Amino acid sequence: MSGGSSPSSRRNSSNSLSRDLDLSSEQGCLSIVVLGASGDLAKKKTFPALYHLFDQGFIQSGEVHIFGYARSNLSDDGLRERISGYLKGAPEEELSEFLQLIKYVSGSYDSGEGFEKLNKTISEYEASSKSESYRRLFYLALPPSVYPSVCKMIRTYCMNPSSHPGWTRVIVEKPFGKDLDSAEELSSQLGELFEEHQLYRIDHYLGKELVQNLLVLRFANRLFLPLWNRDNIDNIQIVFREDFGTEGRGGYFDQYGIIRDIIQNHLLQVFCLVAMEKPVSLKPEHIRDEKVKVLQSVNPIKPEEVVLGQYDGYKDDPTVPDESNTPTFASVVLRVHNERWEGVPFILKAGKALNSRKAEVRVQFKDVPGDIFRCKKQGRNEFVIRLQPSEAMYMKVTVKKPGLEMATEQSELDLSYGMRYQNVKIPEAYERLILDTIRGDQQHFVRRDELKAAWQIFTPLLHDIDDGKLKAVPYQPGSRGPKEADELSARVGYVQTHGYVWIPPTLA
């Protein structure tokens, strides 16, 4: 940065247009309250996301104040020091300006004294702002077990005062229950305290750039409209792979397993965007209506179309029971009973301690009829949407190999974001979703009936696993996972390509 202007003036000049467009309907002072402020989620995700929104001019000094609330005995400066440790590389003057927006309140999560104190602190800021409208956003960076008591405290002590226009909104993190009954119980408890339009159930996968691109890709391009159906697509895989294990979180992970942790929420959200019909408009409720419809069209999962795995060494963690059947890997086939997708398997696959780290959607098309080039053995056309890392979209196509011979090989048509958008910062998911909450846009948040439909799909399977009716098979860390998973994919129609590897292009 050059010149003598302050950080805030530089942000104002560079972002005034985007702010006018995005937040023109939002007026008045904004109070953002992070409950669980001393925990890892808040320090690693929530506060850094708020800083980046501040850095880009979406929230500004004089318009917003941030309040941390937790049981820890901390001062304002104590919390600021903890947060600054996760904001390495931020310009010192800008970071200092951001940290001055943060105040800390200590209190318990189930008694009124702390929340009365929190409300008093917020009210003092609101009164000093001399604003006519008060907006209060509560981010629950807390375990779901305390959601009901904390939300009751917010409802009782900390709601936006009726004397001023504005709103109160609450962000809750997953997991939203462990099965259908517990999710419905939690939904009922929160529903007694807040209206649905006040609740924002956050799934950070819906904030990822390439996930947000799915609707544009499908419905803004004539190319895909006639292809996106059972006549042309043989199968679709939605894959999440990690190259590390539970790493000290074994006790926590063992309560949930890979299906609850990844597949039932993250991958199922991606599945909705891949499989849903075109919404009437881009209004959040129209989009969420279509997501619910496609979830309600999913057939019950067949036990023979499920493979569970547990990597060798998982139970070496002293916090994991010796007899644990919790899967660290799962491959599950979903089948949609509607006109577009009848007969097309959706393979949702997730695992830990595998040979690579990536998340992607892989749409595999049917074989070319009348294969005059006899290149079928080289593999099928595939459209791959790489969600992370190295965000990209590429189409695997068969081309003529350069040279004098009429020989074919597989190559790709490639849109790699790091190459195409070299000077564009791809925002973190939490930045986008917190900003959506401030705007009141619930498109990328999970609605109550959507949550219920998702749990209805997976609860019978999860109960069978919990009851020991389905067993996890062992697999080696650093492998592709259980060989049975590859066999299941082949059995339902997936054809693996051998000899072709997509290499992310680089600027080097």
Side-chain angles (χ1 to χ4, degrees):
M1 296 182 181
S2 60
S5 57
S6 69
S8 61
S9 66
R10 289 193 292 272
R11 287 195 304 276
N12 288 348
S13 62
S14 63
N15 289 288
S16 58
L17 176 59
S18 63
R19 293 187 69 258
D20 289 344
L21 291 172
D22 291 326
L23 301 178
S24 59
S25 62
E26 299 288 358
Q27 301 295 330
C29 68
L30 173 62
S31 301
I32 300 175
V33 184
V34 181
L35 297 117
S38 60
D40 279 352
L41 175 62
K43 290 183 294 186
K44 293 178 180 178
K45 297 294 184 182
T46 315
F47 285 115
L50 291 172
Y51 168 75
H52 290 303
L53 289 176
F54 172 80
D55 178 48
Q56 297 169 76
F58 287 108
I59 59 176
Q60 296 196 346
S61 303
E63 295 180 1
V64 65
H65 221 81
I66 301 168
F67 302 88
Y69 184 91
R71 290 183 296 233
S72 304
N73 185 19
L74 284 173
S75 63
D76 293 349
D77 287 338
L79 178 61
R80 291 165 183 163
E81 186 176 344
R82 290 192 182 191
I83 294 167
S84 62
Y86 293 90
L87 295 173
K88 304 293 187 185
E92 187 174 339
E93 186 180 352
E94 203 164 286
L95 178 58
S96 176
E97 188 180 342
F98 169 73
L99 292 175
Q100 290 309 306
L101 300 178
I102 299 172
K103 288 187 178 297
Y104 182 73
V105 177
S106 176
S108 70
Y109 296 121
D110 55 2
S111 69
E113 184 180 352
F115 283 89
E116 284 184 310
K117 184 180 175 184
L118 174 63
N119 183 64
K120 182 174 181 288
T121 307
I122 298 171
S123 298
E124 288 172 353
Y125 156 65
E126 290 172 335
S128 68
S129 72
K130 297 183 173 56
S131 174
E132 295 182 0
S133 177
Y134 296 169
R135 298 172 291 159
R136 296 186 177 188
L137 171 59
F138 294 87
Y139 192 115
L140 274 59
L142 295 165
S145 58
V146 300
Y147 288 172
S149 61
V150 169
C151 286
K152 188 174 182 180
M153 292 295 118
I154 294 171
R155 182 76 202 180
T156 305
Y157 297 102
C158 297
M159 295 294 286
N160 179 65
S162 57
S163 57
H164 286 73
W167 45 253
T168 301
R169 293 171 185 158
V170 179
I171 299 177
V172 292
E173 278 272 356
K174 76 170 188 72
F176 314 116
K178 292 188 70 173
D179 57 11
L180 179 60
D181 288 344
S182 59
E184 280 290 278
E185 181 181 3
L186 181 58
S187 291
S188 296
Q189 290 172 327
L190 300 188
E192 290 173 359
L193 299 167
F194 298 103
E195 300 292 331
E196 183 65 25
H197 66 83
Q198 295 175 300
L199 287 170
Y200 289 72
R201 299 176 189 86
I202 193 170
D203 183 334
H204 75 270
Y205 247 61
L206 286 174
K208 290 187 176 294
E209 183 68 33
L210 270 291
V211 174
Q212 298 220 327
N213 211 339
L214 282 169
L215 286 186
V216 179
L217 195 71
R218 285 193 57 197
F219 301 125
N221 294 287
R222 181 63 186 242
L223 169 67
F224 293 112
L225 292 176
L227 297 179
W228 215 260
N229 55 51
R230 63 194 296 268
D231 297 328
N232 299 287
I233 293 173
D234 187 274
N235 60 82
I236 296 177
Q237 288 199 64
I238 304 174
V239 178
F240 176 94
R241 303 167 67 87
E242 288 182 332
D243 56 3
F244 53 88
T246 53
E247 296 191 335
R249 294 176 63 248
Y252 169 82
F253 181 85
D254 202 70
Q255 300 175 50
Y256 295 96
I258 199 73
I259 295 177
R260 290 183 176 97
D261 195 40
I262 301 295
I263 296 180
Q264 185 274 337
N265 42 77
H266 297 335
L267 298 196
L268 199 63
Q269 287 295 320
V270 177
F271 160 81
C272 288
L273 297 173
V274 171
M276 62 185 267
E277 296 298 319
K278 182 187 288 187
V280 175
S281 75
L282 289 177
K283 291 181 180 178
E285 293 313 306
H286 289 158
I287 293 172
R288 300 204 293 181
D289 286 345
E290 295 303 332
K291 290 168 69 178
V292 172
K293 286 179 187 176
V294 76
L295 289 173
Q296 292 173 337
S297 299
V298 174
N299 288 332
I301 297 169
K302 300 176 182 177
E304 62 270 23
E305 292 190 331
V306 177
V307 171
L308 307 175
Q310 187 184 91
Y311 67 84
D312 289 338
Y314 169 70
K315 288 184 282 195
D316 292 346
D317 185 326
T319 62
V320 175
D322 292 339
E323 69 281 1
S324 172
N325 186 46
T326 300
T328 61
F329 175 99
S331 184
V332 180
V333 178
L334 300 186
R335 296 186 179 272
V336 183
H337 182 56
N338 66 15
E339 184 178 2
R340 181 183 295 272
W341 297 118
E342 191 74 50
V344 178
F346 287 79
I347 306 164
L348 275 57
K349 187 187 300 183
K352 290 182 171 292
L354 299 177
N355 61 347
S356 63
R357 172 181 171 263
K358 65 179 179 181
E360 66 183 18
V361 179
R362 186 172 293 267
V363 180
Q364 187 170 88
F365 293 90
K366 293 185 174 182
D367 291 322
V368 175
D371 181 18
I372 62 174
F373 292 101
R374 298 179 182 177
C375 55
K376 180 177 177 179
K377 65 179 183 296
Q378 292 177 351
R380 292 168 163 172
N381 294 143
E382 290 183 356
F383 180 52
V384 182
I385 304 160
R386 176 99 166 198
L387 307 178
Q388 69 178 34
S390 305
E391 292 92 343
M393 294 183 285
Y394 63 95
M395 177 75 81
K396 284 170 57 176
V397 294
T398 301
V399 299
K400 178 187 175 296
K401 190 174 183 179
L404 297 175
E405 300 294 329
M406 179 53 75
T408 61
E409 67 176 3
Q410 281 218 320
S411 187
E412 69 280 322
L413 306 175
D414 193 334
L415 167 58
S416 289
Y417 274 51
M419 292 286 288
R420 180 65 178 82
Y421 303 108
Q422 293 180 24
N423 298 316
V424 176
K425 176 189 176 293
I426 296 178
E428 290 292 328
Y430 281 92
E431 296 173 39
R432 189 190 309 272
L433 295 176
I434 292 173
L435 185 58
D436 281 348
T437 308
I438 297 170
R439 293 168 172 161
D441 184 349
Q442 289 188 304
Q443 175 182 332
H444 303 115
F445 296 84
V446 182
R447 200 168 68 188
R448 180 173 177 174
D449 56 345
E450 181 185 345
L451 181 64
K452 179 178 180 180
W455 278 119
Q456 285 174 327
I457 294 170
F458 281 98
T459 291
L461 170 62
L462 290 167
H463 284 178
D464 284 347
I465 296 170
D466 293 341
D467 294 341
K469 295 177 183 177
L470 289 174
K471 296 291 187 181
V473 297
Y475 65 93
Q476 286 296 314
S479 68
R480 285 177 51 83
K483 61 179 176 48
E484 290 87 348
D486 287 337
E487 293 167 357
L488 171 61
S489 296
R491 193 164 70 244
V492 300
Y494 174 69
V495 177
Q496 188 174 351
T497 302
H498 296 282
Y500 168 88
V501 177
W502 177 73
I503 302 174
T506 65
L507 299 174

